[in-house]
Amino acid sequence: MTGYASASAQPVPAPSASPETAQAAHASVTVEARSVNGRFLDLSMRMPDDLRGLEPALRELLTASFKRGKIELRINTQRDGDGAWPQPQSDQLHRLARLQDTVQSWLPKAQPLSVHEVMQWCKGGGTAEKLDEATLDAARRCVAGLAEARAREGEKLVAILLERVTALRKLAEDAEPLVPAVVQRQQQRFLERWQEALATSGGNQSVPEEALRERALNEAAAYAIRIDVAEELARLRAHLDEITRLLKKGGELGKRLDFLIQELHREANTLGSKASALELTNISVEMKVAIEQMREQVQNIE
């Protein structure tokens, strides 16, 4: 199913942080999710490299919420001062100095920090963990919004499928009374040929007249058995009943509907192969069209 959702979040600064530090650490994250039709679950993610550690958690979140569809998750981050150098804060510099002293006490040959390295750290220092939390929060809300969008589309698809089910039931009702009429016409045709054969032979046939009549009736009966589609129509109605039940029940039913659509197509094909009248052939073609329309929509249902 198709759908789109987005959500944004901001890291919450520590309560003890000064206003200057909180402003320097200010950042925001936006999560977007897009979904298109697909028989299986296909996930793709685009995010900054510093958030790649969240990919397993995001995949788990998506697989727990969706079973089908091609879903793209896109994460964008923004920090105040992006593209410009920040003003280093005193608490950041003190922390860096303590960290540097600790490292050099254990590794005397370690080089001191350069001005460039200090500025890079101050540019995004201390926000990574909080940005991860904000990203996961935005992702949860975004996935929930995408699920709601897909659910709304699912309701529309269910209505469309139920319309096709109703149309197939009507076609089955139209086909049922045609078979006896076709059989009766064919029986009459056999009897007419029998009369013509009697007239042509002039009563000189070696087979008794009653035997010829019985043979004509037997051929008509055998023909009726060959073209009888009562079983196919009964199975088709059973499949339609099951499809209706599943659609009203809801839940994850895409793969089960796939199987039932295949069975419907098989019954429609058999009906067409047994058709001995133009009316039945037309009904079989209309059934296949409706079933194919259902097949296309079922591919979109989870």
Side-chain angles (χ1 to χ4, degrees), residues 11-285:
V12 179
S16 59
S18 64
E20 294 82 3
T21 302
Q23 180 65 24
H26 182 70
S28 64
V29 59
T30 300
V31 180
E32 294 179 292
R34 295 178 174 84
S35 172
V36 296
N37 302 328
R39 294 185 61 187
F40 307 100
L41 184 61
D42 182 10
L43 303 179
S44 63
M45 299 185 185
R46 298 185 179 182
M47 65 185 75
D49 291 338
D50 54 348
L51 294 177
R52 281 292 170 186
L54 298 177
E55 186 169 343
L58 294 173
R59 286 188 176 274
E60 183 178 356
L61 177 63
L62 290 170
T63 53
S65 302
F66 308 110
K67 301 302 179 185
R68 295 179 110 186
K70 184 177 181 180
I71 300 175
E72 178 185 5
L73 194 72
R74 189 187 299 261
I75 301 176
N76 296 311
T77 58
Q78 289 184 341
R79 295 181 175 87
D80 285 355
D82 277 355
W85 292 110
Q87 180 66 35
Q89 304 299 311
S90 59
D91 58 342
Q92 292 177 319
L93 295 176
H94 286 188
R95 184 182 179 191
L96 273 178
R98 290 194 302 270
L99 292 173
Q100 180 175 257
D101 292 341
T102 301
V103 171
Q104 288 182 334
S105 66
W106 286 91
L107 302 172
K109 295 184 179 181
Q111 297 294 322
L113 292 171
S114 67
V115 174
H116 177 75
E117 291 169 339
V118 171
M119 296 299 289
Q120 286 287 357
W121 192 91
C122 292
K123 191 175 183 179
T127 64
E129 181 177 353
K130 295 185 179 298
L131 192 60
D132 287 355
E133 298 174 0
T135 300
L136 290 175
D137 175 64
R140 293 187 190 99
R141 291 187 282 113
C142 181
V143 168
L146 181 62
E148 292 177 359
R150 286 162 59 105
R152 288 192 296 270
E153 184 185 8
E155 293 176 357
K156 297 178 182 178
L157 291 178
V158 167
I160 294 174
L161 288 173
L162 288 175
E163 290 179 2
R164 299 292 184 272
V165 168
T166 301
L168 285 170
R169 289 187 189 277
K170 179 64 169 58
L171 290 171
E173 292 176 0
D174 294 342
E176 194 167 19
L178 292 177
V179 177
V182 171
V183 172
Q184 186 176 5
R185 288 200 303 266
Q186 191 65 23
Q187 185 178 15
Q188 184 63 32
R189 189 176 306 166
F190 282 142
L191 292 175
E192 291 175 357
R193 290 180 179 175
W194 169 70
Q195 295 290 348
E196 292 175 0
L198 288 179
T200 302
S201 63
N204 296 324
Q205 71 279 4
S206 59
V207 181
E209 180 177 336
E210 188 62 30
L212 291 175
R213 177 182 177 85
E214 183 178 355
R215 180 175 179 181
L217 294 175
N218 288 337
E219 290 182 1
Y223 176 79
I225 293 174
R226 289 197 304 271
I227 69 170
D228 184 22
V229 292
E231 292 184 5
E232 286 75 12
L233 294 176
R235 287 193 294 267
L236 188 142
R237 290 194 182 95
H239 297 328
L240 293 176
D241 291 341
E242 180 65 9
I243 290 174
T244 302
R245 186 188 70 82
L246 291 174
L247 291 175
K248 291 182 178 180
K249 178 182 177 182
E252 297 177 9
L253 44 84
K255 293 182 179 179
R256 297 175 68 182
L257 289 178
D258 279 339
F259 171 75
L260 290 171
I261 293 299
Q262 292 177 4
E263 295 302 307
L264 286 178
H265 201 273
R266 181 178 291 109
E267 304 303 339
N269 277 335
T270 305
L271 178 64
S273 64
K274 288 186 174 183
S276 57
L278 181 60
E279 299 90 342
L280 282 174
T281 301
N282 291 337
I283 288 177
S284 174
V285 171

